[in-house]
Amino acid sequence: MAKVKKSPRPKAETPKGFRDYFGHEVHERKTMLDAIAAVYHHYGFEALESSAVETVEALGKFLPDVDRPNEGVFAWQEYEEDGNGDWMALRYDLTAPLARVYAQHRNDLPTPYRRFAMGPVWRNEKPGPGRFRQFYQCDADTVGAPSVAADAEICAMLADVLEKVGIARGDYIVRVNNRKVLNGVLEVMGLSDDAQRDDVLRTIDKFDKVGESGVRELLTTGRKDASGAFIDGVGLAAEQADPVIAFLTSKGATTAETLANLAQAVGESAIGAEGVKELQQIADLLDAQGYGPDQVDIDPSVVRGLGYYTGPVFEAELTFDIQDEKGRTRQFGSVAGGGRYDDLVKRFTGQAVPATGVSIGVDRLLAALRMKGRAASAGPGPVVVTVMDRDRMADYQAMVSELRAEGIRAEVYLGNPKNFGNQLKYADKRQSPVAVIQGGDEAERGVVQIKDLVLGAKIAESATHEEWKAQPAQREIARADLVAEVRKILEGNAG
Amino acid sequence: MAKVKKSPRPKAETPKGFRDYFGHEVHERKTMLDAIAAVYHHYGFEALESSAVETVEALGKFLPDVDRPNEGVFAWQEYEEDGNGDWMALRYDLTAPLARVYAQHRNDLPTPYRRFAMGPVWRNEKPGPGRFRQFYQCDADTVGAPSVAADAEICAMLADVLEKVGIARGDYIVRVNNRKVLNGVLEVMGLSDDAQRDDVLRTIDKFDKVGESGVRELLTTGRKDASGAFIDGVGLAAEQADPVIAFLTSKGATTAETLANLAQAVGESAIGAEGVKELQQIADLLDAQGYGPDQVDIDPSVVRGLGYYTGPVFEAELTFDIQDEKGRTRQFGSVAGGGRYDDLVKRFTGQAVPATGVSIGVDRLLAALRMKGRAASAGPGPVVVTVMDRDRMADYQAMVSELRAEGIRAEVYLGNPKNFGNQLKYADKRQSPVAVIQGGDEAERGVVQIKDLVLGAKIAESATHEEWKAQPAQREIARADLVAEVRKILEGNAG
């Protein structure tokens, strides 16, 4: 017989940019998402789980190219004999699928349609440190509600969500701005040329980084960046740049002051006045519901997303200090953002449908909770019943059954029991609070040994010989007292 | 300017074979999965969420072909300038990723490694009625435990899971068989030829459908199927087929009887005797933990998966009657299956690692719970505060804030408020239990109208005029009593 060539062993690796989540990581994320879902649900939002796969056509933006796979998304062509199979892709966010779902099911869905969604999305981008190609999003949107009351509701809900998951009032702020106000400013500036308007929008987007003077330079004659390279300016005259600067810096000591500044910045512009009025309404609605400006605040310096959204824009920032990778103190920063967009559904139906919503950066918020010590703890590992005598497995299984019946997480060691040290190492790795030990001799006497592994670890670290004798981590108890004695140790650890 | 050709509107459709899950559907599945996860966790299993995307190499089986996309999986090639990008694919189950994860992280994971996983998997198969290309699986596996105590644990846990989610004892049975016993039977038959062994295995797989006489015909001279077509037999002599039939029909009135029959069927075969001994051990362990044969039973007629697994095989069947699509009464049937497989990790590392586990058919089990009235109910819709006066939105928002603060799900109607009928239709569609109504006149008098929509629907259906007057579904209450009065209605509905 011909020798069959052995194929090489496959590599046991996730694809580049993907990762796995283990025990505690799954638990802490799930706990946070469950808490968020409860708030969304409480506000009347309904869960939606759309398919992970969409037609490329429905996703839009990323149209397939025969020679070059779509950038940004993971896409493939369905096999058909004639090569004309449909192109499909993994969703890259939860908003594009919402537009498709609403357009597809609009006759069956209530209007307005409040929905929340949480789940993985995929991006075909170059992975980097902490940047993965599959990650979670967590969105809430209201489709079909033209009133800014819907925007105010999203802001209030976002504040509730943050407090519910463990970010205290004072440690976050939801900032609100409005694209319409910016449109008014652009109108006042008398920019007739679309390209110039786009240039101004792009420049405003850099306000976070370069500040007031930087924006002013970039709007006019240009600017040297940190590396020394010269960035061309948009070419506006100094006084033409004034309304933009006035807009970006119009935040006052009170909401009323901010709104007055904005009214001045938009001058005679009708769309600008409408934008200011909307911000006023949002502020009034939130005030009526008891939210203070320390929770949700009108703040024209929020520029992220102003180019994308069509009305109110919101961003939730965490304001407590952290150390960045270079040891400098800075604020934690943004964990959620959103706003009003009115064109998404139109792509499908031809009719504009007003929509507003928010997307929470799940990994960012979880990182913040960890820093604050508010991420869900893993809880204790299982009680591990060790195996001294392979033939008495039924006895050991009976012990875990009793423990489980009383609500205690427990398991029998199921590896090779020959090396007892390995069993205790296993219990350590599982972060087990208690190990149960019973040899044949103990079985005959109707007793078991229980070892308090938390206390044992403490003693091993620091106890004197006297302390060790006074409070031994391992002791013998009656077999009949197993559940009660284990419970005592667990309650001692929890207290 | 040249006229830009308008691209046609995209279709608002999921790709063929995919679907979306709305509100209640998401809730009932999540509730069931949470209950299952709690049982798994209680048994010491740890959550694992592996990436949805794997390299085709790691998934195995489905190797890429340049001209023909892989059948069975959704796969695509990563873009590289030279066309040699890696092939990636969506996972088609949760077992192949477990093997990859264990091989990749085995130095950090405890051994044995008990893990559970739940999430969507994808199959590139022809969709059909009720057959989707994305669906949930829910698995628990123990890797690195050679002892059949691990198999017994999976069976006990499966029984616990079924009872926990709402399948009563007596409505299910976990049946256990063992591939080693079958190997013993094949040995006794003296089949030297691998091809013939495979033929016999394939024939046994049809036992469910064709029964004892059918299997006997197929093992020997052949058989006419229901359509009249003749199926060739394996060509064994009648007495050569006897051990197989003895094996398949060896279920006795008691476990002891079954095991005695099996011992006879495997004769002198060492591997067969080992298999019988394993079944004995499993039965003893379960007995020691208080599980009866009405919960977990040794049953050699379980053949599903015997070709795939290497040791014990289990299948959970629901035994209550349902009507099939043709109105015939039959048992609900299988909702979970699993067994021992020892070769999966070996593909990666070269070392055989014993593993055993179970996979629950999430959609099947959920369908069963629905039939039994045990699927999670959606709960009431939100209280809907209607909008009579657009300018008093803040008042309405204050009402829902009060209701929410007291734990009551509530929302303001955020559509166009002009047509009040639409607001009540909306409340109906949301399955709202209560609508709150306040016009300007009522606001002045410090009152609101509350409408009991559940009672209203009942009255509309059946009440006489007298009943209607005696118990009106809508009444006026003091604004200050809003929360208390709404709560009364909700508690009345719940009781």
Side-chain angles (χ1 to χ4, degrees), chain B residues 113-129:
Chain B
Y113 177 47
R114 287 177 173 94
R115 86 90 180 77
F116 69 89
M118 28 193 67
V121 301
W122 293 265
R123 301 269 170 95
N124 190 0
E125 291 168 349
K126 232 187 162 54

Side-chain angles (χ1 to χ4, degrees), chain A residues 190-495:
Chain A
L191 297 183
S192 52
D193 178 346
D194 270 2
Q196 222 177 16
R197 286 174 70 110
D198 288 349
D199 284 347
V200 172
L201 275 174
R202 254 195 301 279
T203 305
I204 284 175
D205 237 10
K206 296 182 186 142
F207 181 57
D208 279 346
K209 279 184 206 152
V210 302
E212 179 183 339
S213 65
V215 167
R216 187 178 283 281
E217 288 170 358
L218 287 170
L219 286 174
T220 53
T221 52
R223 175 173 189 272
K224 245 192 203 142
D225 73 9
S227 72
F230 188 79
I231 316 292
D232 283 342
V234 178
L236 303 183
E239 62 280 12
Q240 224 182 349
D242 285 344
V244 176
I245 301 298
F247 166 71
L248 290 172
T249 59
S250 55
K251 177 92 177 75
T254 63
T255 300
E257 206 180 299
T258 303
L259 291 169
N261 290 343
L262 285 178
Q264 196 145 26
V266 299
E268 300 295 305
S269 161
I271 186 75
E274 189 180 316
V276 176
K277 191 180 155 204
E278 286 182 359
L279 288 176
Q280 175 79 63
Q281 285 172 328
I282 290 173
D284 290 348
L285 284 168
L286 290 165
D287 185 54
Q289 289 171 79
Y291 292 88
D294 61 323
Q295 294 169 296
V296 187
D297 198 23
I298 307 298
D299 186 344
S301 71
V302 173
V303 293
R304 227 180 50 155
L306 274 184
Y308 170 71
Y309 294 109
T310 56
V313 190
F314 0 101
E315 180 151 21
E317 283 181 44
L318 304 191
T319 52
F320 57 83
D321 286 341
I322 58 164
Q323 306 291 319
D324 70 10
E325 36 324 327
K326 291 181 182 161
R328 289 169 304 204
T329 299
R330 61 168 183 85
Q331 291 195 341
F332 186 90
S334 177
V335 292
R340 179 167 284 274
Y341 51 95
D342 291 338
D343 295 336
L344 267 180
V345 179
K346 194 176 179 185
R347 282 185 57 235
F348 295 102
T349 65
Q351 287 186 301
V353 176
T356 183
V358 68
S359 183
I360 293 175
V362 171
D363 292 325
R364 295 265 309 152
L365 183 54
L366 199 49
L369 294 186
R370 267 187 232 114
M371 284 178 188
K372 283 284 179 184
R374 297 299 298 266
S377 85
V383 171
V384 171
V385 174
T386 58
V387 174
M388 297 296 281
D389 182 354
R390 212 187 275 253
D391 293 339
R392 288 195 305 106
M393 189 56 92
D395 292 352
Y396 302 126
Q397 291 286 6
M399 291 181 200
V400 292
S401 285
E402 277 172 42
L403 289 165
R404 285 182 199 138
E406 295 300 314
I408 297 168
R409 191 181 185 207
E411 54 167 65
V412 171
Y413 179 74
L414 288 180
N416 186 337
K418 232 165 49 187
N419 181 332
F420 188 69
N422 279 348
Q423 298 199 46
L424 289 184
K425 270 185 215 151
Y426 171 83
D428 258 4
K429 204 157 199 172
R430 296 303 314 276
Q431 302 189 283
S432 171
V434 179
V436 179
I437 306 158
Q438 190 193 51
D441 154 65
E442 282 137 336
E444 263 172 40
R445 291 191 292 120
V447 300
V448 296
Q449 301 281 337
I450 56 175
K451 195 173 161 76
D452 182 335
L453 297 171
V454 179
L455 180 62
K458 266 189 219 152
I459 289 174
E461 251 177 35
S462 63
T464 63
H465 186 67
E466 279 65 37
E467 285 167 335
W468 159 258
K469 280 201 298 188
Q471 198 189 27
Q474 179 172 331
R475 61 210 167 79
E476 185 174 297
I477 58 161
R479 168 68 180 82
D481 296 338
L482 175 64
V483 171
E485 292 288 339
V486 167
R487 190 190 297 288
K488 253 190 238 165
I489 295 178
L490 295 179
E491 280 165 2
N493 291 344

Side-chain angles (χ1 to χ4, degrees), chain A residues 23 41 47 78 133 404 409, chain B residues 23 41 43 47 78 133 409:
Chain A
H41 183 261
E78 175 129 53
R133 298 161 96 186
R404 285 182 199 138
R409 191 181 185 207
Chain B
H41 184 261
Y43 269 78
E78 176 129 52
R133 297 161 95 184
R409 191 180 184 208

Side-chain angles (χ1 to χ4, degrees), chain A residues 80-117:
Chain A
E80 296 280 350
E81 290 288 341
D82 61 5
N84 288 327
D86 292 336
W87 278 86
M88 295 192 273
L90 289 173
R91 64 184 179 202
Y92 57 85
D93 72 3
L94 299 172
T95 308
L98 170 62
R100 193 267 305 154
V101 167
Y102 186 79
Q104 182 173 351
H105 300 281
R106 63 191 184 282
N107 293 329
D108 302 318
L109 292 171
T111 297
Y113 177 48
R114 287 177 174 93
R115 87 89 180 78
F116 69 89

